[in-house]
């Protein structure tokens, strides 16, 4: 015991009758207060062919107008258009909780006549954000790192095709190890409920068939109540979310709602009987935002980081080996790398050359010595105490 009971009482502000209570039960409150004070951030990417309703959906999701100054290109301009990445940031506040929301858009994706590798600039953008974070994290001032890593990518699938198009498969496969992909079936109001159901099944099958790893919702804890488990299962079965977006408010059954007015009726964005918009918004904002951020940090960023460290280590080892060989070969020039020849091939060539030199009958004694030195560790170039190679002539020892 290092402190008396009365001191403990003073320390924890408790009296003797509830001395069992230490106080760490307030830890969640402390974390909560700190996080609320700091605010939250979330970066959402939207990708898919233009005209599928990406901007309309983002505006509907966050009740903002993020695309005020958007310039739409005409058909001629789009022929040769390359994918550009644009970023919009808004600060939203709800009940004192601040969220810095960044939307990354990919205008031009899939618009050109030739869309070969048009996912590349999107992949590069995601990598650049990882790289920036990696640099900041390895730097001196790690306190105020701006985290621009992409936490989720909503990938818009056209409602007019038969399942996935080749470009969809290519995009998702190229990015599934870098970002959490959440597929959505765009403009679901253009399909009947039966068509939506059929398309969803087809898309899910194709995702499985092509080995695309979309964002996986975490498993439910076994002690969760049945209602929660059922909701969770419904969420998992909704993939790809069939969505409808609208920037206009219409009147339906005496209520003003976000919707689309057609001659035959009104499609309500937030009506669960009409589409999965609410499910998607709840998933993104209410239930899985933190998990999306955790998976980004723990899986996608970790993969990037491990890859970076691996290639840095490989470079250092290569450089060290090259310096060693340069010193041992007695020249100051680095060994020229054979163009188009890989490291292992270069090593093989060096080994073959070694063998050739070893078996050459015209070897001079000093050459034999040099050859031995190439394999001795560490590498004293002229070490009077070094042992001669087993095959070397004993008379050459002192040379
Ligand atoms: P983006 O190029 O992917 O950002 O697409 P936009 O959001 O600019 O939408 C393109 C057009 O589709 C606009 O005329 C929208 O009004 C319309 N649109 C957007 N969302 C929907 C939807 O859910 N259903 C239907 N039928 N049209 C939509």
């Amino acid at each position: 015991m290092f402190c008396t009971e009365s001191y403990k009482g003073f320390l924890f502000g408790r009296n003797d009758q509830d001395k069992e209570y230490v106080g760490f039960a307030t830890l969640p409150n402390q974390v909560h207060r700190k996080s609320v004070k700091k605010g939250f951030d979330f970066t959402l990417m939207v990708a898919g062919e233009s005209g599928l309703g990406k901007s309309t959906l983002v505006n509907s999701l966050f009740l903002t107008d993020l695309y005020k100054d958007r310039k739409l290109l005409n058909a001629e301009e789009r022929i040769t258009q390359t994918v550009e990445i644009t970023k919009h940031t808004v600060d939203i506040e709800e009940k004192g909780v601040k969220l810095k929301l960044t939307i990354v858009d990919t205008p031009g994706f899939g618009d050109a006549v030739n869309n070969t590798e048009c996912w590349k600039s999107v992949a590069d953008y995601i990598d650049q954000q990882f790289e920036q974070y990696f640099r900041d994290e390895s730097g001196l001032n790690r306190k105020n790192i701006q985290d621009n890593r992409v936490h989720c990518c909503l990938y818009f699938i056209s409602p007019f095709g038969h399942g996935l198009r080749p470009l969809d498969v290519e995009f998702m496969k190229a990015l599934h190890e870098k970002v959490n992909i959440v597929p959505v079936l765009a403009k679901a109001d253009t399909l009947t409920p039966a068509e939506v159901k059929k398309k969803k099944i087809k898309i899910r099958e194709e995702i499985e068939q092509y080995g695309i790893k979309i964002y996986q919702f975490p498993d439910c804890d076994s002690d969760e109540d049945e209602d929660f488990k059922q909701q969770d299962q419904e969420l998992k079965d909704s993939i790809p979310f069939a969505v409808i977006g609208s920037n206009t408010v219409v009147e339906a059954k005496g209520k003003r709602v976000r919707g689309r007015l057609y001659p035959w009726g009104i499609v309500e964005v937030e009506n669960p009987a009409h589409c999965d918009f609410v499910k998607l918004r709840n998933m993104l904002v209410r239930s899985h935002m933190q998990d999306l951020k955790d998976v980004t940090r723990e899986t996608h960023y970790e993969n990037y980081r491990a890859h970076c460290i691996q290639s840095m280590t490989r470079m250092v080892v290569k450089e060290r080996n090259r310096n060693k060989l340069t010193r041992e070969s007695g020249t100051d020039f680095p060994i020229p790398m054979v163009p188009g020849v890989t490291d292992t091939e270069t090593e093989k060539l060096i080994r073959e050359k070694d063998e050739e030199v070893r078996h050459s009958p015209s070897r001079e004694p000093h050459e034999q010595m040099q050859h031995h030195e190439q394999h001795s560790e560490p590498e004293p170039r002229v070490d009077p105490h070094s042992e001669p190679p087993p095959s070397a002539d004993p008379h050459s020892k002192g040379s």
Side-chain angles (χ1 to χ4, degrees):
M1 271 296 251
F2 69 92
C3 59
T4 62
E5 284 305 315
S6 59
Y7 177 63
K8 252 171 71 185
F10 159 76
L11 204 67
F12 302 123
R14 317 288 307 174
N15 44 31
D16 273 357
Q17 64 258 37
D18 46 16
K19 63 182 171 223
E20 294 300 307
Y21 182 86
V22 175
F24 53 78
T26 65
L27 263 173
N29 299 349
Q30 296 173 37
V31 174
H32 174 89
R33 248 201 317 273
K34 215 170 162 183
S35 323
V36 169
K37 215 168 135 194
K38 198 165 153 232
F40 299 85
D41 54 41
F42 187 69
T43 301
L44 176 72
M45 175 181 261
V46 284
E49 208 182 295
S50 81
L52 282 183
K54 297 185 294 296
S55 7
T56 313
L57 188 83
V58 166
N59 286 341
S60 316
L61 276 173
F62 299 101
L63 305 176
T64 50
D65 189 6
L66 276 155
Y67 295 86
K68 278 182 275 264
D69 35 304
R70 183 163 72 141
K71 182 180 168 266
L72 290 173
L73 300 181
N74 61 34
E76 201 177 307
E77 286 167 322
R78 290 205 327 238
I79 292 175
T80 51
Q81 199 199 351
T82 49
V83 183
E84 59 169 307
I85 310 280
T86 58
K87 218 169 104 173
H88 306 263
T89 302
V90 275
D91 289 304
I92 26 190
E93 192 172 335
E94 204 177 76
K95 291 187 184 167
V97 178
K98 288 186 217 112
L99 174 71
K100 182 169 158 274
L101 173 73
T102 305
I103 304 290
V104 179
D105 201 351
T106 55
F109 175 80
D111 279 359
V113 171
N114 182 358
N115 287 310
T116 319
E117 298 208 329
C118 73
W119 45 265
K120 204 147 188 325
S121 43
V122 183
D124 286 348
Y125 178 84
I126 295 173
D127 279 343
Q128 277 160 19
Q129 309 316 307
F130 282 154
E131 188 189 325
Q132 186 59 47
Y133 195 84
F134 185 57
R135 276 176 202 278
D136 290 349
E137 208 184 30
S138 327
L140 277 179
N141 183 10
R142 307 192 321 151
K143 233 180 175 176
N144 299 313
I145 298 181
Q146 176 107 37
D147 184 3
N148 289 317
R149 293 171 295 182
V150 181
H151 301 121
C152 176
C153 171
L154 287 186
Y155 187 74
F156 285 65
I157 299 166
S158 167
F160 310 119
H162 297 286
L164 297 178
R165 294 168 311 156
L167 184 59
D168 300 332
V169 176
E170 213 183 324
F171 177 92
M172 289 197 267
K173 282 193 89 162
L175 274 94
H176 63 182
E177 301 214 310
K178 296 179 189 290
V179 67
N180 294 314
I181 297 177
V182 174
V184 298
L185 182 59
K187 298 188 173 180
D189 56 324
T190 58
L191 302 168
T192 64
E195 283 169 336
V196 169
K197 205 168 160 201
K198 213 167 127 198
K199 278 218 162 101
K200 280 188 175 195
I201 295 173
K202 179 99 198 297
I203 292 168
R204 279 204 297 265
E205 276 171 7
E206 285 181 335
I207 285 175
E208 175 93 29
Q209 182 188 342
Y210 296 118
I212 298 167
K213 290 179 240 152
I214 55 167
Y215 170 63
Q216 291 298 315
F217 298 110
D219 286 335
C220 240
D221 287 339
S222 50
D223 57 350
E224 294 287 3
D225 62 58
E226 283 311 310
D227 260 11
F228 185 86
K229 280 187 189 162
Q230 196 191 330
Q231 275 175 20
D232 189 70
Q233 195 49 48
E234 272 175 27
L235 190 71
K236 287 173 184 162
D237 295 340
S238 303
I239 291 284
F241 295 102
V243 292
I244 299 170
S246 166
N247 284 332
T248 47
V249 175
V250 289
E251 205 168 311
K253 294 175 211 137
K255 271 198 305 182
R256 294 187 54 76
V257 290
R258 246 177 208 253
R260 306 185 71 84
L261 180 65
Y262 291 106
W264 49 88
I266 287 170
V267 179
E268 294 168 43
V269 169
E270 298 191 27
N271 187 338
H274 293 186
C275 72
D276 300 326
F277 176 87
V278 174
K279 269 196 199 123
L280 174 69
R281 191 177 59 192
N282 284 350
M283 185 283 284
L284 275 181
V285 184
R286 293 190 185 182
S287 54
H288 289 73
M289 188 179 268
Q290 193 52 48
D291 189 62
L292 286 161
K293 293 178 76 171
D294 290 346
V295 176
T296 303
R297 196 187 60 236
E298 289 161 16
T299 309
H300 301 305
Y301 175 63
E302 270 311 297
N303 283 346
Y304 174 86
R305 200 170 162 270
H307 189 77
C308 255
I309 292 172
Q310 238 174 32
S311 39
M312 271 157 57
T313 316
R314 226 178 280 139
M315 256 164 58
V316 170
V317 170
K318 203 161 107 186
E319 193 58 31
R320 201 180 290 157
N321 286 348
R322 196 182 300 179
N323 286 344
K324 201 167 121 193
L325 284 172
T326 310
R327 277 203 301 277
E328 284 165 0
S329 66
T331 75
D332 284 338
F333 306 108
I335 293 181
M337 297 299 283
V338 187
V341 176
T342 62
D343 269 359
T344 39
E345 278 171 320
T346 314
E347 274 164 29
K348 200 171 141 228
L349 283 176
I350 293 172
R351 241 181 289 120
E352 279 170 7
K353 197 76 204 155
D354 277 351
E355 281 300 308
E356 207 182 295
V357 173
R358 204 195 316 247
H359 295 112
S360 148
S362 62
R363 271 196 302 156
E364 292 296 320
H366 76 273
E367 277 182 281
Q368 292 175 17
M369 190 64 184
Q370 245 180 19
H371 176 76
H372 161 67
E373 281 164 10
Q374 276 188 17
H375 295 278
S376 61
E377 273 297 340
E379 35 71 55
R381 239 187 80 63
V382 190
D383 183 359
H385 307 297
S386 69
E387 286 294 313
S391 61
D393 179 358
H395 302 297
S396 66
K397 197 176 177 180
S399 68

